[in-house]
Amino acid sequence: MLPPHLTYLKRLVTALAVVMIAGFVVLILTLVIRLNAPAVAIPDEITLPDGQIAQAVTFGDGWYAVVTEDQTLLVFQESTGALLHEAQITTK
């Protein structure tokens, strides 16, 4: 039989091991869930007006937008690829 303080220490070490294993399982499950989440639906092809070269792209719910090198913002409908809006970006 172990002295009382060693029995207490043994229980603490066992509890620590259980908590660490549970934390590791939660970490792995979180990674699996996050990595299996659906990615953003990127169109196979984006047709820009003649002479436009894409500099940045962003996506929203049902639309995507392209900023071109000449600072034009082009907003397209996601389902059809139709141009919804065109705006010139001005900077100060």
Side-chain angles (χ1 to χ4, degrees), residues 10-62:
K10 181 179 175 183
R11 287 184 184 149
L12 283 177
V13 170
T14 303
L16 176 63
V18 169
V19 168
M20 288 178 58
I21 291 170
F24 188 70
V25 168
V26 168
L27 178 66
I28 296 300
L29 287 174
T30 303
L31 284 173
V32 167
I33 291 169
R34 293 287 291 161
L35 293 177
N36 285 331
V40 176
I42 300 173
D44 294 331
E45 183 177 291
I46 298 175
T47 304
L48 298 175
D50 290 338
Q52 302 282 356
I53 298 172
Q55 190 176 32
V57 179
T58 189
F59 300 91
D61 189 21

